[in-house]
Amino acid sequence: MDISWDDARLFLAIAETGSFSGAARRLRIGQPTVSRRLAALEYAVGSALFRRSVDGAALTSAGERLLVPAKKMAEWAGELHRAAESADSSPRGIVRVTATPYMSFDFVAPFAAYVSQKHPDLRLEVQSQIQYLDLGRGEADLALRGRPPTSADLKLVDTLEVPNAVFVSKALKARLPKKVSLQQLPWVAWAPPFEAVAPNPQLESMIPGFSPSFTADHYLVMLAAAEAGLGAMVMARMEHRFPRPTQLVPLELDLGPFSRSQTHLVCAKSALDIPRVRRVSELLLEEFQRIRLGR
């Protein structure tokens, strides 16, 4: 039998998210459509591919046999898509950039406005994610990540290193002792399921009994709490030319081994063959160089 790419993509979405609802969100279709299409696929295959339960969907032995081939199919589908798009000689269309919530809000969004002014035919679609998207499959065109790539299918385009700093609201700074320590500060930090996301582990390693005064699972909620004076946040001190008004100011505190952070610009190896992706990558490289030179 023939399994179409649409069926393989549906199967992968359920397998990797662990639920029909997660697959529906990833594929941007309704959950009843996911159930209907999976039922048709299982009928064609002649076996159940998932065990349904209140906890989600788990692969059966028949589903496990399809998992690796389906992943390879996804990688080749991404490669095929990029090869077809590389024939377009002009930089136009949508470029999907994935980045951390901080980078997406603080840098990528205003950078997108700059790109739009410079190239009206280009549009950035920003996917603010803590989890990494699969660039090889074409889930995004470019990524700004905290870790360099380890896959042979990915290319490290550039790395930007900047200092980190502890930021507090002006009102909170006025209430703090002149020589405040990390241990004395109230902290705003990540809540579950992101408690292992930086800087939580780093602060836990530096502050005995670390217990934040406020936690949230969304970056903008954390930022609003810090600006309201609820606590301090560790953020990159990335001085670019797209600043926004803020109530936060840095404290001169030593973060030890965590005093600097890196942002890696990553893409699939063949992605830069696509004119629109290559142009946005070039513009990002220009901005990285401006930041290094302090312009």
Side-chain angles (χ1 to χ4, degrees):
M1 64 161 293
D2 292 329
I3 297 179
S4 70
W5 165 231
D6 282 343
D7 285 341
R9 183 166 55 179
L10 177 83
F11 167 78
L12 273 177
I14 301 171
E16 292 177 343
T17 63
S19 69
F20 286 19
S21 59
R25 287 191 297 271
R26 175 183 288 190
L27 299 176
R28 299 180 182 180
I29 58 178
Q31 190 169 330
T33 302
V34 172
S35 299
R36 176 178 52 78
R37 285 176 51 190
L38 177 63
L41 176 61
E42 290 179 324
Y43 178 80
V45 172
S47 300
L49 301 177
F50 294 94
R51 292 186 298 273
R52 287 78 158 171
S53 71
V54 293
D55 296 324
L59 286 167
T60 62
S61 58
E64 288 175 352
R65 288 194 294 271
L66 292 183
L67 186 58
V68 172
K71 287 182 176 181
K72 290 181 179 179
M73 192 175 183
E75 291 167 3
W76 278 108
E79 195 67 26
L80 180 64
H81 181 71
R82 288 189 290 273
E85 290 197 306
S86 65
D88 187 355
S89 60
S90 59
R92 65 180 64 198
I94 297 174
V95 177
R96 293 162 300 161
V97 180
T98 180
T100 63
Y102 165 75
M103 284 292 292
S104 297
F105 175 74
D106 183 74
F107 173 70
V108 183
F111 168 75
Y114 167 71
V115 172
S116 178
Q117 293 166 8
K118 195 171 183 67
H119 296 282
D121 290 335
L122 278 176
R123 179 164 68 86
L124 264 61
E125 178 179 285
V126 180
Q127 301 185 41
S128 175
Q129 297 272 352
I130 290 176
Q131 301 89 348
Y132 285 179
L133 297 181
D134 194 319
L135 301 178
R137 295 185 194 173
E139 292 180 355
D141 299 309
L142 296 167
L144 295 171
R145 294 178 168 174
R147 296 195 302 270
T150 56
S151 169
D153 297 329
L154 300 183
K155 176 182 177 64
L156 176 61
V157 182
D158 196 14
T159 297
L160 176 68
E161 184 172 289
V162 297
N164 293 328
V166 177
F167 287 85
V168 296
S169 70
K170 295 175 183 177
L172 177 56
K173 184 177 181 180
R175 301 196 302 268
L176 295 173
K178 288 187 177 181
K179 291 187 177 181
V180 67
S181 67
L182 295 176
Q183 291 83 355
Q184 292 174 301
L185 285 172
W187 287 98
V188 171
W190 287 104
F194 304 126
E195 65 269 32
V197 173
N200 283 34
Q202 291 82 356
L203 292 172
E204 289 171 2
S205 69
M206 299 172 69
I207 302 172
F210 174 68
S211 179
S213 60
F214 179 87
T215 57
D217 63 353
H218 195 290
Y219 172 74
L220 290 183
V221 177
M222 294 164 60
L223 186 64
E227 291 186 335
L230 268 175
M233 286 181 69
V234 175
M235 295 186 292
R237 202 166 183 173
M238 186 173 167
E239 298 179 356
H240 52 75
R241 63 192 179 111
F242 311 118
R244 65 176 187 85
T246 179
Q247 295 298 312
L248 299 181
V249 292
L251 298 177
E252 299 304 322
L253 287 170
D254 183 12
L255 289 170
F258 313 115
S259 61
R260 301 188 71 81
S261 59
Q262 293 183 331
T263 296
H264 305 280
L265 176 58
V266 182
C267 66
K269 282 189 173 178
S270 58
L272 298 184
D273 294 336
I274 303 171
R276 58 181 172 79
V277 178
R278 183 171 62 251
R279 186 59 187 135
V280 172
S281 174
E282 291 168 348
L283 292 173
L284 281 169
L285 290 176
E286 291 175 10
E287 294 307 317
F288 279 15
Q289 187 62 12
R290 282 178 175 270
I291 293 169
R292 292 187 186 100
L293 297 175
R295 294 180 181 174

